[in-house]
Every structure is written in structure tokens, then in C-alpha cells.
Amino acid sequence: MIRITSLLVFAAMLLTLVACGGGGESTTPATPEGAKAFINAADEELLDLAIRNDRAAWVYNTHITEDTAQIAADADERYVSRSVQLAVEASRFDEVEAEPDVRRRLNLLKNRLTIPSPNDPEASSELAAINARLSGTYGAGKYCPENPDSDAGGDGCYDLSEMNIIQANSRDEAKLLDLWTGWRTVSPPMRADYQRMVELANAGSQELGYADTGALWRNQYDMDPDAFAAELDRLWDQVSPLYEALHCHVRAQLVEQYGSDVVDPTGPIPAHLLGNMWAQSWGNVYPLVAPQNTDPGFDLTERLEAEGYDALKMTRQAESFFTSLNLDPLPETFWQRSQFTKPRDREVVCHASAWDIDQVDDLRIKMCIQVTAEDFSVIHHELGHNFYQRAYAELPFLYRNSANDGFHEALGDTISLSVTPKYLKDVGLIDAEPPADADLGLLLRMALDKVAFVPFGLLVDQWRWKVFSGEVSPEEYNQGWWELREAYQGVAAPVERSEANFDPGAKYHVPGNTPYTRYFLAHILQFQFHRGLCQVAGDDGPLHRCSIYGNAAAGERLAAMMELGLEKPWPDALEALTGEREMDATAILEYFAPLQTWLDEQNAGRQCGW
């Protein structure tokens, strides 16, 4: 009864917000004082709507039904449409000599939207429904083969988690190919919705003064959009020689495993053979490409199982890393309200995510945790989001975000870089640190995840920016996707693909409309963060052996950066942590320098490139 009453009150409040806040333009005068009054009111209103939207989204993500989808779509529509209205109104103050704080928040208000709807009720409602359908189609996606084997679920179908496990461990090329193509049967129904979403989002972006939605996304980095695109190219140019050496070695080893009739010794690598459904990270093929005599002497997944780790204990361990830096522990509500494992009685979105429901301290994660080394790292990553969220919770709402979205993604991974053998020994997961000559294997294993990801992290938004601008037309969606995958990654579809397919939609972030450049930046910034924090911690040894676990000075520097939120431009936040004001990929090269030397030796006489 209480629950029903609360929902009725909630619905009534939403209707009141729509009635009071909706369509008309503000009469606030276009003066410095008016601009300040407008942005303060907008900040408070958006905070309230964001909380309501997040609550509805949480219910939908953790219990997918038609009803929860509609509730989430309605809340999202109210939040997005009002955000668009306020962003358009903010343009009235473009020529006003506002205070610096007011001017920054006005600009953030205009730039913060990801998929802005047109300022039209019907279009806004249509866009919200499309976004809910896209997310729901992905979240409920399964592959149901005609002749399922014992690996399939009780209904004869595979969900994505089950397929990921097989992709990680199987060396049966036919099985890998079947699952690779099977998962991509989920996405073709998204295609028409995605095309319409692009049209509506572009219309909304143009109302805000941008050429298209891609231009809007690139304008969110305290830089000219074109200069930002050039910055990405500069960072990729720094990393690409290391990636190409890694690609060359991995391809040669896959030729030995599967034969030259499956893997072209001089061409791109077939996407189904790299141990990951999207070939975005390659750590699962490590046993096929590992150096000889560099076994670190332990398998972290096996050690977690042997020590009785479950989903909750893994999360507690990740929290302890942050508290070792003198950061406060997570609130008790985190442990009561998070989704740690996949429920048996309903469909949920298993993709890991961190939530800040009330924008203060109702922190949660949503995962379907498995006891694996990979998920052990992912949990550290997600808690990084939570600790960052809480650090800036006292700022105005429009500043409650990271300095740029790459910072948020980098933070947890920075902690993961400190999950070294020394740390594992300190927390009792291994008995002794491996000798220094085992570092090469550890570095290669990490490079297969971190370095291999970098071009994928770049190309996803390269594709979307081309789609938003019209450079890639709806008739070329799949062709454009695979052209970029081959150009940047040297990875190819293992079977012929056509425009009857919609392979970008098989990656969560595309139907979920989550910008992806943040992950590219995070893979650069995490090494730069790590180098800066290791310097603060006074560790002058090899960068790949440094751990900041338990170092209060590093924790203090980290907290100082996080507390800035989005209040200052990202170079200020970068300087607060590292003393540097420019993103720099040389830290990743320094970290993997011993591996680069070894790869160059292995690749002698091989034809690299594709």
C-alpha cells in the first residue's frame, strides 16, 4: 500500500513539474543578474528531474518489463525535454557579460545533452520511446540456435553472459563463429529505430546551434570541436606503434593456432578469434600468445575461487582499496540497494554501471558479477565512479560530473593499475610476488586488454560522428562500421556482412547512446594518472610495478582532483592530479616499454600491418 501511494504521489509531482515547467520561454531579463537567477533555478530544477529520472531508470534496468520501460521512457522524456527547453533558453544569455561561474554553467547547460530531443512534445515523446526500445532490445537479447548444445540455458538460448564465457575460453573456431554471428541477430531490428533516433537527435542539436549531434558531443571538452578531434588523432599517433606491434604478434600466434586458411598472415584478424564478443580487448587469448617461461605462478580467477570470493566479497575488497587511501567507505545503503548478481526471476541489464540515484550518497552499482579476474578489475572501475560521484556531491548540479568524461572512466582503472602482485600478496590472494622476470607475461596480459582496446575506443564515436553528420548514410551503416574497424584495429568480420545487418547495435553503447570517446581518453589518462600518483607516492621503480595501495599522499592528491568535479576545465583537474596540463600518451609507452622491446624482437622477419 505504501508503495502504491508513493507511486501516485510521484506521478502527481511529475505532472505538476510538466505543468509548471513546460514549454514557455522564461521571462527572466537578459542581464547579468537575470542570467544568474536563471541558471540557479535551472540547476535546482534539473537536479530534481535527474533524481526522478534515475530512479525510474534504475527500476527499468533491474526489472525489464513493458511497464517499467514505459515508466522509464516517460521520466526520461520529461528530463530530456526540459533540459532541451532550458538549454535553448540559456542561449538568450549568450551576449550577456555574466560572472565566470554563471557563464560556465550556462555553457554546460547547452553542451551537456547527449541525445537532445527537438523542442516539440510529439518528437520528444517519440525519441524517448525509441531510446527505451533500443535499450530494451539489447538488454533482453538472446541467441536461440536451432540445435542448442549443453552450454545453452534451460530455454535452449544463450544470453550474452553465457556467450561471453564461451568466447573467453573456447578454441573451437566453428563454435566461436556461431556465437559471434548469433549475437548479431539481436541488432538488425534496431536499425530503423536507430536511423530515426539520429534524425530526431540531429534536429534537437540544431535547435541548440550545432551542425549535428556529433558536433555537440565534441563541444563538451573545453576545446574547439575540431581541435578536440585533432587532439584524439595526436594521442592515437603516440600509441599506434605499440598497438601495431601487439597486433602483429597476436596475429602470428593465431595463424599457428587456427591456420592460414582462417587467419590471413598479412591481413586483418577475424573478429571472432580474439576472446571477446566485440574484439575490443584480447586478454582471453593470452594462453595462445604468451611468452615462454614467464608464468607468474598464479591464475587470479583460480585464486579468487580458492579464497572463497563471491560477488559481495569481491566488491568489499575493491572498496578496501579506496579506503586504504583515506577515502571514506561507501554508505550502508550501497550494500542494501546495489544489484551484484543476475536475478533468476526477471530480465535485467547486466552491463556494469555505477549509479548516484539522489546525486548525494545513494550510490549503487548494477552488475551481474562473476568470480573472474576480469570482473575483479571491473568492480574496481565501477567503484571509482561511485567515489568520484560522492566527491563532487556538494557542488551545484551542473558541476556534478568529472572534469571530462574520460576522467570518470579513468579513475577506477587507475586503481586497477595498482592491483599488482604486491597488492595481491598484501591482501592474501597470493603467497609471494613473482620474480621480476615474470613481468613480461603480466605486461603482455595487460596490453591485450589495455593497448588492444585503444583503437576500438576511438572508432566507435568516429562511426557515430560520421553517421550524425551524414558522411555515413543509413544505407552504409554496416559498411562504414567495418571500414573503420579494419582501418583502426586491423580486425575484420569473419563472414560476409551486408546492410541487412546492423553490427554496431550489437555493442551496448550504440543502442544505449553512451558516448565512447570517454573510454579512449580513459585508456590514455589512466596511465598518466598512475604515473603522477606514483610520483607523489615516492615510488621511483618501474611504472608497471608501482602500487599506491595504502598511500595517503596519493589519496589526498586523488581527492583534490575529484572534488573539483566539472567546476574547472579539465586541464586544471589534470594539473591538480599530475602537475601536467596536457593529455599525454607517453605514460602508456613508459609502462609497456619492456614489452615493446620484446614484441619488436618477436616480430623480426614478420610482415606487420594489414
Side-chain angles (χ1 to χ4, degrees):
M1 189 68 168
I2 295 174
R3 192 172 297 228
I4 294 174
T5 303
S6 297
L7 286 173
L8 291 174
V9 172
F10 176 59
M13 292 178 70
L14 283 175
L15 290 173
T16 301
L17 280 167
V18 172
C20 296
E25 187 174 283
S26 171
T27 57
T28 306
T31 63
E33 294 76 15
K36 186 173 185 177
F38 167 80
I39 199 62
N40 286 339
D43 198 289
E44 291 183 9
E45 182 179 358
L46 288 174
L47 171 60
D48 185 69
L49 287 172
I51 293 171
R52 298 174 187 278
N53 187 43
D54 283 350
R55 291 194 186 282
W58 175 265
V59 172
Y60 170 62
N61 275 263
T62 57
H63 194 171
I64 299 173
T65 69
E66 290 185 6
D67 292 328
T68 59
Q70 188 61 54
I71 291 169
D74 290 346
D76 187 61
E77 178 189 352
R78 291 183 175 94
Y79 178 56
V80 173
S81 62
R82 187 58 181 145
S83 296
V84 171
Q85 291 167 0
L86 290 169
V88 171
E89 290 179 35
S91 299
R92 296 174 53 243
F93 304 99
D94 284 351
E95 305 303 321
V96 171
E97 294 185 8
E99 300 172 10
D101 166 74
V102 172
R103 173 55 58 203
R104 181 163 180 80
R105 284 192 287 157
L106 286 168
N107 289 338
L108 290 173
L109 177 58
K110 292 193 298 180
N111 295 338
R112 67 191 295 271
L113 298 170
T114 300
I115 302 294
S117 65
N119 194 15
D120 171 79
E122 290 187 8
S124 177
S125 179
E126 180 185 5
L127 181 59
I130 286 173
N131 287 338
R133 282 199 303 272
L134 288 169
S135 181
T137 299
Y138 186 95
K142 291 186 176 183
Y143 169 45
C144 303
E146 291 184 6
N147 300 303
D149 58 26
S150 59
D151 292 327
D155 57 358
C157 300
Y158 296 95
D159 64 24
L160 184 56
S161 295
E162 291 163 342
M163 285 186 280
N164 281 336
I165 292 172
I166 298 170
Q167 284 275 334
N169 296 291
S170 176
R171 303 293 180 241
D172 183 337
E173 192 268 335
K175 178 75 168 180
L176 295 173
L177 181 60
D178 179 60
L179 294 181
W180 188 93
T181 55
W183 174 243
R184 282 156 182 78
T185 62
V186 170
S187 51
M190 303 176 188
R191 189 183 184 107
D193 270 343
Y194 195 83
Q195 179 179 344
R196 181 59 177 155
M197 182 278 297
V198 170
E199 294 170 356
L200 292 170
N202 275 344
S205 298
Q206 287 159 7
E207 288 180 6
L208 295 174
Y210 299 97
D212 57 66
T213 305
L216 169 65
W217 288 11
R218 294 191 300 276
N219 201 60
Q220 298 174 357
Y221 290 92
D222 292 308
M223 297 177 68
D224 175 82
D226 291 338
F228 177 66
E231 180 73 352
L232 298 182
D233 290 337
R234 180 184 68 82
L235 293 169
W236 169 238
D237 286 344
Q238 287 182 304
V239 179
S240 59
L242 175 58
Y243 175 80
E244 290 171 7
L246 181 68
H247 179 283
C248 190
H249 175 66
V250 169
R251 181 180 60 194
Q253 300 306 107
L254 291 177
V255 170
E256 289 192 15
Q257 174 71 24
Y258 296 105
S260 58
D261 56 332
V262 175
V263 182
D264 182 348
T266 62
I269 299 172
H272 66 309
L273 300 179
L274 288 162
N276 174 273
M277 184 59 78
W278 307 277
Q280 68 183 49
S281 56
W282 307 348
N284 290 316
V285 302
Y286 175 78
L288 302 181
V289 304
Q292 294 183 349
N293 304 318
T294 56
D295 184 354
F298 69 92
D299 180 303
L300 182 54
T301 296
E302 292 179 358
R303 294 303 306 148
L304 290 166
E305 292 173 349
E307 293 298 323
Y309 274 76
D310 58 13
L312 199 60
K313 187 174 180 180
M314 288 169 69
T315 310
R316 292 279 187 188
Q317 182 57 56
E319 181 199 32
S320 75
F321 203 119
F322 291 90
T323 57
S324 82
L325 304 177
N326 278 354
L327 301 176
D328 291 336
L330 294 164
E332 188 58 33
T333 52
F334 172 87
W335 305 101
Q336 298 166 350
R337 299 171 184 174
S338 291
Q339 174 189 293
F340 298 106
T341 58
K342 184 178 181 180
R344 297 181 179 181
D345 60 343
R346 62 186 186 272
E347 295 292 342
V348 300
V349 177
C350 273
H351 185 85
S353 55
W355 297 64
D356 182 13
I357 300 295
D358 67 353
Q359 296 289 321
V360 181
D361 60 2
D362 187 355
L363 305 168
R364 311 177 191 181
I365 60 168
K366 175 188 60 61
M367 288 184 65
C368 300
I369 298 172
Q370 299 170 6
V371 182
T372 64
E374 180 178 0
D375 275 7
F376 191 65
S377 177
V378 170
I379 293 167
H380 284 80
H381 174 94
E382 296 304 331
L383 293 197
H385 287 302
N386 287 141
F387 278 91
Y388 207 161
Q389 287 162 342
R390 186 172 59 185
Y392 53 61
E394 295 184 4
L395 297 174
F397 172 68
L398 289 168
Y399 289 152
R400 293 184 196 180
N401 210 330
S402 61
N404 69 40
D405 52 9
F407 276 62
H408 235 313
E409 296 300 331
L411 188 65
D413 282 345
T414 300
I415 300 301
S416 296
L417 292 178
S418 281
V419 182
T420 60
K422 180 181 184 301
Y423 165 68
L424 298 177
K425 179 179 180 294
D426 288 344
V427 301
L429 275 167
I430 61 175
D431 296 326
E433 291 183 61
D437 59 11
D439 287 355
L440 186 60
L442 294 171
L443 285 171
L444 178 57
R445 187 186 295 271
M446 183 172 288
L448 291 168
D449 286 328
K450 302 286 189 179
V451 179
F453 177 86
V454 172
F456 187 82
L458 185 61
L459 71 87
V460 174
D461 279 353
Q462 297 284 344
W463 178 81
R464 284 192 285 200
W465 295 346
K466 291 174 183 292
V467 167
F468 285 130
S469 72
E471 183 178 344
V472 170
S473 70
E475 294 76 29
E476 302 169 320
Y477 279 173
N478 228 45
Q479 176 185 339
W481 174 254
W482 285 108
E483 285 177 353
L484 286 169
R485 299 225 37 197
E486 291 196 28
Y488 280 101
Q489 279 190 290
V491 167
V495 293
E496 185 175 350
R497 311 302 284 168
S498 72
E499 294 305 320
N501 308 115
F502 183 54
D503 294 334
K507 177 61 182 170
Y508 167 82
H509 299 75
V510 173
N513 286 317
T514 302
Y516 214 74
T517 299
R518 63 186 62 177
Y519 301 106
F520 170 79
L521 294 177
H523 277 68
I524 304 300
L525 287 169
Q526 64 186 264
F527 291 94
Q528 192 172 1
F529 287 180
H530 181 63
R531 181 171 65 184
L533 290 172
C534 288
Q535 290 170 351
V536 170
D539 190 323
D540 57 0
L543 190 56
H544 63 274
R545 284 195 152 237
C546 169
S547 176
I548 63 167
Y549 177 67
N551 190 281
E556 183 178 355
R557 185 71 71 92
L558 189 63
M561 183 276 284
M562 294 192 298
E563 290 167 1
L564 291 177
L566 193 49
E567 187 174 16
K568 303 293 183 183
W570 65 259
D572 291 352
L574 181 62
E575 185 176 28
L577 183 67
T578 68
E580 302 166 328
R581 295 186 61 82
E582 184 178 75
M583 290 184 286
D584 182 12
T586 62
I588 195 171
L589 303 180
E590 179 181 344
Y591 190 97
F592 290 106
L595 178 65
Q596 176 79 69
T597 299
W598 180 83
L599 287 171
D600 290 343
E601 293 171 354
Q602 302 306 302
N603 291 331
R606 292 171 176 167
Q607 182 178 332
C608 296
W610 52 86

